[in-house]
Amino acid sequence: MRSSLWPEKARLCLAFPASQFYTMAVALLSLAREIATMGTSLATESIRLARKVSLLIHLLEEIRDFATQSGGQTASSSSAASSPWSCLADLAFALESVKKFLLLSAWKSAGKNSNLESVTKKLAIQYQYVTWQLEKVLGNISYEHFKISDEVQEEVELVLAQLRREIEKIGVENLHIFQEIYNMLTSTNVKDFKHQRSFKLQATNSSTTGFVDRELRDMVTGLAEVNGKYNYDTASMTLKLMDRLKRTSHVDQFKIEKSGIRLSNSGRSTVDDKQRDSLEILEDFLCPISLELMRDPVIVSTGQTYERSFIQRWIDCGNGTCPKTQQKLQNLTLTPNYVLRSLIMQWCEANKIEQPYRLANGRMRSDGTFSEITGERSFINTLVSKLTSRSRDEQRSAAAELRSLAKRSTNNRKLIAEAGAIPVLVSLLLVEDKKTQEHAVTSLLNLSIYEHNKEVIMLAGAVLPIIHVLRDGNMEARENASAAIFSLSLIDENKITIGGTPGAIEALVELLDNGSARGKKDAASALFNLCIYQGNKSRAVRAGVVRALVKMLEESSTSGMVDEVLTILSVLVSHKEGKVAISKANTIPLLIDLLRTGQPRNKENATAILLALCKKDSKNLACIGRMGAVVPLTEISKTGTERAKRKATSLLEHMQKLQIL
């Protein structure tokens, strides 16, 4: 994605010609889609952040459509803060930050070095910052200006609510710092900043030696990094920030020297043995992925050097580009950088840093804590490799084994996902062999029980292939595909994604209508879960779910699913289209029969549905009066469950007002 499609700071975009508005909207949509499909080997919070961005795709599609319909003309007279140009450019700036953070998170996840405390701490601050930045930008988008539909507004509000819950965990001081750094990084008015992708702060004019707050400097470095700012004077920027935050930016030279820090004329500090952990490491000695001192540096085809374990994991995850330059790797050869390794070892010796040493197999060990590969992990890795075999029998057998393993324990579900099985299993959902399909979809169902895997499965693009199995697989595969959708839809964001996928709800309704007994139950569970989200209710109604549910009520003696049917109807009746469809489907007589003969829970739900149908509807009220609902309702108001009593009493009161009693 080329960042030059938009300016770095929102207000710069006011100078763009209106004809570029559509291009900008399309570029934003492309960026959001790229983020939504980023790697699956991330930490849970990173995956959830990518999922939140995926929920913004519908918003960006509507903004693109708005740009198309308006011919790129926008309200140029708007203030800078509310200008559509400004909104989109700020959103672009935020999404670029999210993308950068996810790349950094992926690099960290790719590492095998357990000594990643500093990287983890930096990523935690960056996560807080990009979350805050995204919430800040989304809160300023004008739904009315872009003519955003109610359903999409609901999606964006869901994302905003989730982001705000994350922001509540951030301390007030950090929020203040975030705002100051954001202002400094994006300012077009402060003379100290040059407005291009890479910039350098002007030197700070001070006759007093500057003492830089190390923790604050690290924060500046990390946040500038996710905002795409490179080659700047960190100390200078930190001093400016310290002044803004009213922190002491200069200290008594005697106190500094007494603490063990000696400032040279250049302002760069040296340290004594007591300050060893504040030792500055040459940038060339740090791996660009882990940002840690390299122990086994290797050169890739672009000429860049990385720590072997990190770049190998990067390649193993299917990446074919150089992480630092984004150039395509002409080959995957990793050439040891003996000269740099020697320099690092000399530097370690000179500074009394523990030197790296080799394992018997020739690999470099950084901390002596490489985990042993267990037989179980090795067995799972072998099975995953067989999933890509050219032999259909081997694929089928491996998928069946993984299905069984994933069913047994949470630990197996973790190991299978870590071995990279999920994307391969998703691809097997599209093969012609029905048994392989069945094993693959059931494996994904079992893997989805582990919460983190739900996110990985969604990011692997599993929804459409699962729907394919739901439509065309054998009955057991269709049942398990439906159960997988139910499991995945337990996460709110997934309700929106799955419900909005063409054919998903229709396939579930088809299984509900014509499936096996177990298939009907699985489809009912999935439909109920999806219809909790308001936007899916109309989709389900249009797919014919009410007709299928009423048919099941009529066959209640054989279907044994009265509870499930009433639960779904009670959710649908709260939607205008659902209420109309339920009324037209001749449901009222069936509900009244349940008032007389149903189980206590059935009576409760039937009463609740009748109340929703009859509120502000004198025609339906008169109908239930004619059908003799008064007697069973009176009985329920006295002997039913607490909820049933309230609903029955309210319904009787409505009937009394219309003198139906």
Side-chain angles (χ1 to χ4, degrees), residues 91-336:
L91 182 55
F93 196 55
L95 291 180
E96 284 280 15
S97 298
V98 171
K99 177 184 172 183
K100 180 67 175 176
F101 168 76
L102 293 178
L103 286 172
L104 292 169
S105 179
W107 293 340
K108 185 256 180 181
S109 300
K112 298 177 182 177
N113 189 339
S114 62
N115 186 24
L116 292 175
E117 244 182 83
S118 61
V119 177
T120 302
K121 183 178 179 181
K122 183 177 77 167
L123 286 172
I125 289 292
Q126 290 175 331
Y127 173 75
Q128 291 179 355
Y129 176 71
V130 296
T131 299
W132 168 84
Q133 187 179 349
L134 189 57
E135 188 278 334
K136 171 187 173 71
V137 172
L138 287 177
N140 289 331
I141 289 179
S142 170
Y143 298 139
E144 291 183 6
H145 179 87
F146 294 113
K147 299 179 181 178
I148 304 302
S149 66
D150 291 343
E151 289 181 2
V152 172
Q153 287 185 42
E154 187 179 351
E155 291 181 16
V156 179
E157 290 302 321
L158 171 66
V159 175
L160 275 169
Q162 293 172 337
L163 291 172
R164 285 164 184 158
R165 283 197 293 271
E166 293 291 328
I167 291 171
E168 287 173 2
K169 303 173 187 176
I170 305 173
V172 175
E173 183 179 11
N174 274 7
L175 290 174
H176 185 197
I177 293 172
F178 290 171
Q179 184 66 63
E180 290 291 344
I181 292 177
Y182 182 81
N183 291 342
M184 293 172 74
L185 290 172
T186 60
S187 173
T188 59
N189 300 316
V190 180
K191 293 181 180 179
D192 287 337
F193 297 91
K194 296 179 181 179
H195 311 301
Q196 62 257 3
R197 195 72 175 168
S198 298
F199 70 97
K200 184 177 180 66
L201 291 177
Q202 294 176 1
T204 305
N205 294 322
S206 175
S207 57
T208 310
T209 303
F211 178 67
V212 177
D213 183 324
R214 184 181 180 85
E215 185 176 346
L216 193 60
R217 188 197 65 179
D218 290 344
M219 187 180 291
V220 169
T221 303
L223 302 194
E225 184 176 34
V226 293
N227 270 164
K229 305 293 186 178
Y230 305 99
N231 304 323
Y232 57 89
D233 187 337
T234 304
S236 178
M237 188 172 178
T238 305
L239 287 171
K240 288 178 179 294
L241 184 57
M242 289 169 67
D243 286 339
R244 291 189 185 187
L245 297 174
K246 307 301 181 186
R247 293 188 183 182
T248 303
S249 60
H250 303 96
V251 295
D252 183 85
Q253 184 71 22
F254 172 75
K255 291 180 180 178
I256 295 174
E257 291 180 353
K258 191 174 181 180
S259 69
I261 303 174
R262 299 183 295 280
L263 296 174
S264 66
N265 293 334
S266 65
R268 185 178 297 275
S269 63
T270 59
V271 297
D272 59 18
D273 291 338
K274 295 180 181 179
Q275 300 294 325
R276 182 66 58 196
D277 39 335
S278 63
L279 186 67
E280 295 288 345
I281 303 174
L282 291 176
E283 186 176 347
D284 289 342
F285 290 179
L286 302 176
C287 172
I289 297 176
S290 69
L291 305 181
E292 293 288 322
L293 182 68
M294 284 186 281
R295 310 285 180 164
D296 188 12
V298 293
I299 305 169
V300 298
S301 61
T302 60
Q304 299 296 324
T305 297
Y306 299 93
E307 174 65 30
R308 181 186 294 276
S309 61
F310 286 94
I311 190 62
Q312 186 63 61
R313 184 63 183 272
W314 169 263
I315 293 170
D316 290 345
C317 288
N319 298 294
T321 58
C322 173
K324 191 171 182 179
T325 66
Q326 297 301 307
Q327 292 176 303
K328 183 177 180 180
L329 295 173
Q330 297 303 313
N331 58 68
L332 302 182
T333 303
L334 303 180
T335 306

Side-chain angles (χ1 to χ4, degrees), residues 33 57 70 121 186 188 293 312 365 375 402 529 542 608:
R33 285 173 174 161
I57 289 175
S70 64
K121 183 178 179 181
T186 60
T188 59
L293 182 68
Q312 186 63 61
R365 185 183 226 162
L402 289 171
N529 226 25
R542 293 167 196 160

Side-chain angles (χ1 to χ4, degrees), residues 631-644:
V631 173
L633 283 173
T634 302
E635 178 66 22
I636 291 171
S637 69
K638 296 175 182 177
T639 63
T641 64
E642 288 303 313
R643 177 170 176 258

